[in-house]
Structure formats: structure tokens, C-alpha cells
Amino acid sequence: MTTLSSDQLLAIHAATQKLLPDAINFLTELVRIDTRNPPGNNYRKIVELIGNKLQSFGYDVKYVLLTPEETDELAPHGEKLERINVIGVLPPSASSTSGKIIHFNGHVDVVHEGDISRWNFDPFGGEVKNGKIYGRGVSDMKGGIAAQIYAIETLSAAGLKLRGTIEQSAVVDEESTGIRNAGMGYLVEKGYITKEKTTAVIITEPLNSGNVCCGHRGTIWGDIIFYGKSSHGSMPALGVNAVQNCAKFITIATEELSVLHETKRDPKVIPVEAQKASLAFTVIQGGTNTNSVPDICKVSFDRRLVPGESLDQARSEIHSILQRLASEDSNFKYKYEERYAVEPVWVDPEQPLSCIIRNAIQTVTGIESGVVCSPGSDDQRFVVQGAGLEACIIYGPGNIKNVHCYDEELSLEDLRIAIEVMAIGTAELVGLE
Ligand SMILES: [Zn+2]
């Protein structure tokens, strides 16, 4: 399985235990910086904290700052706050090099804490209790950033010299999605990660430390606007009721597509509730007053695609129902609009990168690694679809079920396991002296 000697494995294991308190302290510092997005608070503060840490570990550090024009274009939700990312490059410590470059990536932004009264811990406190750390972003994904940095520091503490280059990036605006964005999307567009240069990318999102995640589902977010004709509510026959046309579409689409989506399942998606393709109608706006027939009604929808489906197929399912209803009724008028769309991502789970991390999981935990697909989209799409680099997986500490929720937590043992897995995996990927 592993090509490392038992002495090397023991040294790595001992180093993870020695460095874990430092990794926890660093994670606490990260959590204490409020980086809620939107709008994207304190990005400079957090990327400088990470940059300084990388510099202290011997990395060459570069900050990638967007211009105000780029910020307006790529982060329209960002209230003109600064968008800045950091990249650290650690040259090989061995005398002979393998020429390989492994890039670790995490996002610094977090989602809002929600109703503060429902937290039992300070969301920006990083409190440690009973073997867990609590706070917004401990799992998604400041824990991953701490793990990716301390995995490499573990190898150095174990006295092992790497034959390849390590890159670490911490980026903004993952949580705000976008076909393009100011974080990982921007780094890919600017050529910091390329198919030609980069050997492999590991994004340390929380898909459970016992799993290698090889992809994510696709998404379409859009609106359908129904147009009618207003009339007095006492004479509805004189008008065309846009709310009723909207309701008719929702009813028919839900009935017909839920049957179809039953057949579109991917058992690799976690959690199990996300294994099916789905269409959810999420917001309705229509009508102005009780005694007027509404002439406009808008419904927002969230369509999730499993690997194997395509955006074009998913769109045509919706369009064919709309077109049929319009052909049956000349008063059924609508407009279809999309705000965000991304194809599902799935990379080969048998590729070397994935096999090496799966083996490392087995070495550390004694349990066979899972191969999973993420329910939502993440920055993997920029690397796989944007840069065309297939050697990109998700691996990090934390449980996907325990993110974006109250009392977000991360088990400290899970953090340590992820550090050890990535340390062993990196040694295998780039080679040791
Ligand atoms: Zn995340």
C-alpha cells in the first residue's frame, strides 16, 4: 500500500500529535476573524494571518489583489470591499527534485451565523470543549486550511525532505458561488493553477476525513416570470391571472419531474438525502392587492443535477413543460431566466492522486476510504472545468452534515487525522529524499 517505511510513518504520526495544539491555536485565530460573505468581511486581515503563517514556515508568499473594476465585476455582492487572495510556494527541501507541484486550496469566507440565540457557543470564539472546536467556519472550511498547512509542517517536523514543490492558496468568495468569482476562479483565470504546471490540487472542504470526494453536483438557479393581464378581482374573467398560471406550472412540473428525477440517482452523493436529482421552487412573488387579478408572478427555482446529467437536459425538461402549457393556452405567457448554472463535476476516482489519498486514509484509520460526491458545488469546478485539470479532489476534515448550521463543530481528532492523511499523501505524491 504505502511506499513509506514504518519509521517514516511513525515519525509522521508522532509529529501530528506534537503539532496538533499549534494547529488548533491557528484554527482558533482564523475563526476569530469574522469573514462572513456577503459582503466579505476582513479578507485582508485573514489572508495576511495565513500569509504570515506560511512565511514563518518558509514559503514565498504572494498576495493576489483584484482591482476595483475586477471587484465590481466578479463580486457584485461585495459592497466594494477588497478582494484579496494569498498563495504560498514552498520549494523542494530535498536536494534532488521530482518536478511535481501539489497545490492545496481552501476558502476563507464563511456563511452568516444566523439566529445568534440558537448558538450555544460564540460563533466567532473558537471555543474548545470535549475534544471539539466550535464556531462558524471550523469545518467549512477554516479547519481545512489549518489542516493543509500543518500537514506539510508535519513532514518537516518529522525530519522528512520533500522532492516536490508545495503550493498553498487561501481564497475568497467560495460561498457566494458565481460562474466566475474573485477567489479560486480568479486564480485559475490568471494562470496560477494550470494543467501544464500543476501536478495535483487538493481542496480541503469538509467531506469527512474518511472520504475522497471526486466531484460535485451541478446546479441551475433561475426564475420563471409569468405574464397575465390585470382586471378587477370581481371580474377575473376579464384578466389573465399570472399567479394561477405560475401555480399551474409549479404543480405540473413538480408532479412530472419528481417521477423523472426518481430515476436520476447517484449513490456516491453524500448525504443520502442529496442522491437524487431535484427541482425545488423556492421563492414566489406575485400580486399587489386582494381585489386585483395579478398580471405578473415570478417563481425562483433551484435545480440540482447528479453526475451524468447535463445542464442542457435539465433545461429542456423545464422548457418542454412550459412550451406544452403555452401551446394549450394562448394566455400562458412566460420568460425563463438563469442566474447561475454549473455542470456536475466528476473526476476519475482511480487516478493516482485519488488512489494515494485513499491509501493514506486506510493507512491512518485502518478503514477503507469512501469515494463520494459533494451535494453542492464548490471551487473544484474552476480547476476541473476552468483549468482542465482532472487531478483535483476534495479531501479535508469535518462532516458535510455539520456545516452552515448552528453550533458548527469540528472534532480535534478528525483534524489530526486529516493532517496525517495529507502528510502521508503528499510524501507519496512528490516523493521523499
Ligand atoms: Zn466550503
Side-chain angles (χ1 to χ4, degrees):
M1 291 243 325
T2 177
T3 62
L4 304 186
S5 70
S6 54
D7 281 353
Q8 288 171 327
L9 291 173
L10 282 173
I12 289 171
H13 181 72
T16 64
Q17 285 174 319
K18 185 168 154 246
L19 290 181
L20 186 62
D22 293 353
I24 296 165
N25 285 340
F26 180 56
L27 173 53
T28 305
E29 286 182 83
L30 295 173
V31 173
R32 287 185 178 164
I33 300 175
D34 161 12
T35 52
R36 285 174 299 177
N37 176 26
N41 296 332
N42 297 310
Y43 281 168
R44 178 174 286 272
K45 195 171 173 189
I46 197 160
V47 296
E48 285 184 350
L49 176 70
I50 294 165
N52 290 341
K53 179 62 78 179
L54 291 170
Q55 213 153 22
S56 77
F57 289 159
Y59 289 73
D60 299 321
V61 170
K62 182 181 169 70
Y63 294 97
V64 181
L65 177 68
L66 278 75
T67 65
E69 295 73 36
E70 289 171 329
T71 303
D72 284 346
E73 190 187 349
L74 297 179
H77 65 286
E79 297 176 7
K80 298 197 180 295
L81 293 171
E82 192 176 55
R83 262 52 195 168
I84 182 168
N85 305 289
V86 63
I87 301 178
V89 179
L90 185 70
S93 47
S95 48
S96 74
T97 74
S98 61
K100 293 185 171 157
I101 299 175
I102 308 301
H103 187 106
F104 289 92
N105 166 268
H107 65 83
V108 298
D109 57 322
V110 297
V111 294
H112 274 243
E113 75 280 16
D115 179 0
I116 189 79
S117 70
R118 296 187 61 186
W119 282 77
N120 292 303
F121 300 87
D122 176 357
F124 300 103
E127 190 179 329
V128 173
K129 194 175 174 187
N130 299 331
K132 290 176 178 174
I133 181 166
Y134 293 87
R136 174 56 80 229
V138 287
S139 276
D140 190 8
M141 58 168 291
K142 292 173 175 178
I145 292 174
Q148 69 190 52
I149 293 172
Y150 275 88
I152 305 309
E153 202 46 22
T154 288
L155 292 167
S156 154
L160 302 171
K161 290 192 163 40
L162 292 175
R163 296 185 60 229
T165 300
I166 304 301
E167 294 179 351
Q168 304 260 5
S169 63
V171 299
V172 301
D173 284 357
E174 191 274 344
E175 296 291 1
S176 40
T177 67
I179 292 167
R180 298 169 68 208
N181 85 352
M184 194 57 159
Y186 189 76
L187 294 191
V188 168
E189 283 182 22
K190 294 289 166 187
Y192 289 101
I193 296 139
T194 68
K195 199 163 114 181
E196 293 71 30
K197 184 198 82 166
T198 317
T199 311
V201 177
I202 298 175
I203 300 175
T204 52
E205 289 270 11
L207 268 298
N208 308 8
S209 60
N211 291 326
V212 165
C213 171
C214 289
H216 62 67
R217 297 199 301 171
T219 304
I220 305 175
W221 290 343
D223 304 309
I224 303 164
I225 303 146
F226 296 86
Y227 299 100
K229 186 177 154 207
S230 54
S231 68
H232 196 282
S234 64
M235 293 167 277
L238 293 178
V240 175
N241 192 320
V243 166
Q244 285 178 348
N245 279 351
C246 177
K248 184 175 172 189
F249 167 72
I250 291 174
T251 306
I252 291 173
T254 303
E255 271 174 21
E256 293 185 7
L257 296 182
S258 63
V259 174
L260 180 68
H261 294 164
E262 213 42 70
T263 64
K264 297 183 175 184
R265 273 178 189 274
D266 184 340
K268 296 182 292 302
V269 180
I270 57 169
V272 66
E273 294 82 359
Q275 288 180 351
K276 249 185 356 182
S278 59
L279 173 66
F281 294 102
T282 47
V283 182
I284 292 188
Q285 293 162 288
T288 49
N289 47 298
T290 307
N291 60 350
S292 295
V293 169
D295 64 349
I296 189 162
C297 182
K298 180 168 99 169
V299 62
S300 304
F301 66 91
D302 181 346
R303 171 72 163 90
R304 300 297 173 133
L305 294 75
V306 294
E309 289 192 286
S310 71
L311 291 177
D312 282 346
Q313 275 170 12
R315 287 172 181 136
S316 73
E317 289 168 5
I318 296 173
H319 284 305
S320 71
I321 294 172
L322 287 166
Q323 283 159 4
R324 194 178 76 221
L325 294 175
S327 73
E328 290 165 2
D329 177 359
S330 60
N331 285 326
F332 188 92
K333 296 205 164 58
Y334 65 90
K335 187 165 83 182
Y336 173 98
E337 285 175 347
E338 286 182 11
R339 274 174 283 128
Y340 173 61
V342 59
E343 296 277 6
V345 172
W346 187 250
V347 300
D348 181 7
E350 302 307 324
Q351 64 175 312
L353 167 65
S354 166
C355 291
I356 282 171
I357 299 298
R358 285 161 63 194
N359 284 340
I361 291 169
Q362 177 128 31
T363 301
V364 172
T365 66
I367 299 167
E368 191 182 342
S369 148
V371 172
V372 300
C373 177
S374 173
S377 61
D378 57 46
D379 282 344
Q380 191 191 16
R381 70 188 186 279
F382 294 119
V383 180
V384 177
Q385 297 171 344
L389 180 62
E390 271 273 308
C392 174
I393 58 163
I394 309 292
Y395 177 78
N399 188 315
I400 188 72
K401 275 196 159 176
N402 175 44
V403 300
H404 297 204
C405 61
Y406 300 113
D407 289 340
E408 183 176 341
E409 63 173 46
L410 175 64
S411 141
L412 301 178
E413 177 58 8
D414 204 32
L415 176 64
R416 197 200 62 73
I417 288 170
I419 291 172
E420 189 170 350
V421 167
M422 285 192 278
I424 293 171
T426 302
E428 300 271 10
L429 283 163
V430 303
L432 294 174
E433 187 162 75

